[in-house]
Amino acid sequence: MQPIPQLVTLSAEELWLVAGACLLMLIDVATGLLQAWMTHDYQSSKMREGLGHKIVLVLYIVLAVVIQAIVQHVGDVGWTVPMVYAVSLYILVMEVSSIVENLANAYPELKQTKLLSFFANSQKGEDNAA
């Protein structure tokens, strides 16, 4: 037994996903500010809410790391889902969608271009269903 055990072991892929999700959160904040500046629609309440959401997302990643560390040290607790991988990947995809939305709102002329179609999300299907 080691005197100071390693608390959690994350794979290189998990580290990249966590770092990518955090970086995309920063880019999302920056593109949100750019959109607000370009559309002359800065609202401190929206900024406060958006930053609060980013903090919550970081806490989800922290929770996933803690749960994964517990499972690594305790053993079989009934599930083997790689929590950090799944949570970080979900956040990463969500942030890409938000960044694209911010950029499209900042530069509406790009909304009907092929460039934006590369980043098309499932909201189109949801809008048609309503």
Side-chain angles (χ1 to χ4, degrees):
M1 181 173 176
Q2 296 175 320
I4 301 174
Q6 186 171 355
L7 295 178
V8 65
T9 303
L10 296 177
S11 68
E13 292 84 6
E14 290 169 327
L15 290 173
W16 273 101
L17 282 169
V18 169
C22 291
L23 179 60
L24 287 176
M25 281 187 254
L26 292 174
I27 294 170
D28 186 36
V29 170
T31 58
L33 287 170
L34 176 66
Q35 172 197 338
W37 177 68
M38 290 182 72
T39 60
H40 306 284
D41 189 26
Y42 177 81
Q43 297 174 22
S44 62
S45 61
K46 280 181 114 174
M47 179 68 169
R48 195 171 36 254
E49 181 181 350
L51 289 175
H53 289 164
K54 299 305 176 208
I55 292 168
V56 169
L57 292 176
V58 169
L59 290 173
Y60 269 112
I61 293 172
V62 170
L63 177 62
V65 170
V66 168
I67 290 171
Q68 192 162 309
I70 290 169
V71 170
Q72 285 176 358
H73 292 280
V74 172
D76 186 16
V77 293
W79 72 85
T80 57
V81 175
M83 297 287 294
V84 174
Y85 191 95
V87 169
S88 298
L89 181 61
Y90 183 84
I91 291 171
L92 191 135
V93 170
M94 193 172 69
E95 291 302 319
V96 167
S97 176
S98 181
I99 291 166
V100 170
E101 183 181 317
N102 287 339
L103 293 172
N105 289 335
Y107 194 176
E109 293 84 3
L110 286 179
K111 284 185 179 181
Q112 302 304 320
T113 66
K114 283 191 176 243
L115 176 64
L116 221 59
S117 69
F118 289 119
F119 299 101
N121 61 30
S122 63
Q123 288 179 348
K124 287 182 183 175
E126 293 170 8
D127 290 344
N128 293 338

